[in-house]
Amino acid sequence: MRLDGGFAAPEVLEFLDRQPRVEYVVNLASNAVLDRLAEPAMRAVRRLSKKSGETEHVYGEFRYKTKKTWKYERRILYKAEVTRHPNRDPKDNPRFVVTNMKQSPDGSTRRSTANAATWKIALRNCTTAWKLDAPVARVSGPINSACLMTAAAYVLMQELRLRLARTECARAQVSILRQRFLKLGVQVVATVRRVVLHLPQAFPYRDRFHRLALSLGAQTG
């Protein structure tokens, strides 16, 4: 799991640490302590950039624990970077991620930066597609119910597409999936043991809905 810095809350990290088979990489906002620990690498990369005249970066890691919010040390990977652009002064650009993965800092840090951007774009696209009535908080901001609901909607739509593989709906837009499989007029018969959905005989996507329901655990009869 790779997440943007807005998800680096102690509660989220503790939850991820408790999962036996989950590896995570979460972007971490810079602070004075992290900057101080990465400063030796920043000094080295400043020398490299000055010598080459190009953007340079160095990767590394250390163990880190906050004073109040983290109960134990976690593995921090960093990218010490100095960026250079034409007609601009060089700029320090240190980046940090917290992870429980074992691979090298180079691989984890590179992939975290790319996937965090992908995650934000995906959630924003999902928010637009769903046409939510209430505004959703920025994905890079603190976790809140709107942000989590947007993430849940995105996961749901992706799961529907996976279950509809090799059909014309496998790459359908969110609005199409919603109209065909979520906004349905059905007769609901609820008993103590089960809930039965009676679909209209004229429903054109009856076979697709039946396949989708069975793949999600529904039963016939």
Side-chain angles (χ1 to χ4, degrees):
M1 178 174 290
R2 297 183 175 92
L3 299 175
D4 195 10
F7 293 90
E11 297 83 0
V12 174
L13 296 177
E14 289 179 12
F15 171 80
L16 294 174
D17 284 335
R18 291 195 299 267
Q19 309 313 306
R21 294 184 296 275
V22 172
E23 292 183 325
Y24 63 82
V25 179
V26 183
N27 280 5
L28 195 63
S30 176
N31 60 44
V33 177
L34 295 177
D35 288 342
R36 175 172 53 80
L37 293 171
E39 181 56 27
M42 285 303 306
R43 288 197 295 267
V45 81
R46 289 187 196 107
R47 291 193 295 268
L48 289 173
S49 181
K50 184 177 181 179
K51 183 177 180 180
S52 68
E54 303 288 341
T55 296
E56 299 286 355
H57 44 256
V58 173
Y59 296 92
E61 65 177 284
F62 50 77
R63 306 293 296 184
Y64 171 74
K65 177 181 179 298
T66 65
K67 290 184 178 180
K68 297 181 179 180
T69 56
W70 289 13
K71 299 177 181 179
Y72 42 82
E73 289 186 339
R74 291 186 170 95
R75 186 188 186 207
I76 305 298
L77 310 181
Y78 65 83
K79 178 179 72 172
E81 181 180 60
V82 172
T83 60
R84 287 182 179 269
H85 300 283
N87 303 319
R88 297 184 187 178
D89 294 332
K91 181 180 178 181
D92 289 357
N93 186 38
R95 297 295 182 91
F96 303 92
V97 299
V98 54
T99 183
N100 64 345
M101 298 178 69
K102 307 300 182 184
Q103 67 189 94
S104 68
D106 190 335
S108 294
T109 309
R110 285 178 184 271
R111 273 189 287 274
S112 173
T113 302
N115 281 274
T118 302
W119 173 252
K120 288 194 289 185
I121 292 171
L123 289 185
R124 287 170 183 166
N125 288 345
C126 182
T127 302
T128 301
W130 271 89
K131 300 179 181 179
L132 298 178
D133 294 330
V136 175
R138 293 173 62 248
V139 176
S140 59
I143 299 174
N144 56 38
S145 58
C147 186
L148 292 178
M149 289 295 290
T150 305
Y154 174 74
V155 172
L156 173 62
M157 292 299 103
Q158 290 299 96
E159 187 66 22
L160 292 182
R161 290 190 181 104
L162 290 174
R163 305 280 179 164
L164 292 166
R166 295 183 295 279
T167 73
E168 74 281 3
C169 299
R171 298 176 63 85
Q173 297 180 355
V174 169
S175 59
I176 294 176
L177 292 174
R178 182 175 59 180
Q179 292 172 0
R180 292 181 181 179
F181 302 107
L182 299 182
K183 296 180 65 176
L184 303 179
V186 301
Q187 181 184 6
V188 181
V189 178
T191 66
V192 176
R193 296 184 177 180
R194 63 180 182 173
V195 176
V196 180
L197 303 180
H198 295 279
L199 297 171
Q201 291 294 329
F203 178 39
Y205 302 101
R206 187 184 184 92
D207 292 342
R208 296 285 181 261
F209 185 91
H210 185 255
R211 168 183 168 173
L212 187 60
L214 291 179
S215 71
L216 294 171
Q219 298 180 358
T220 60

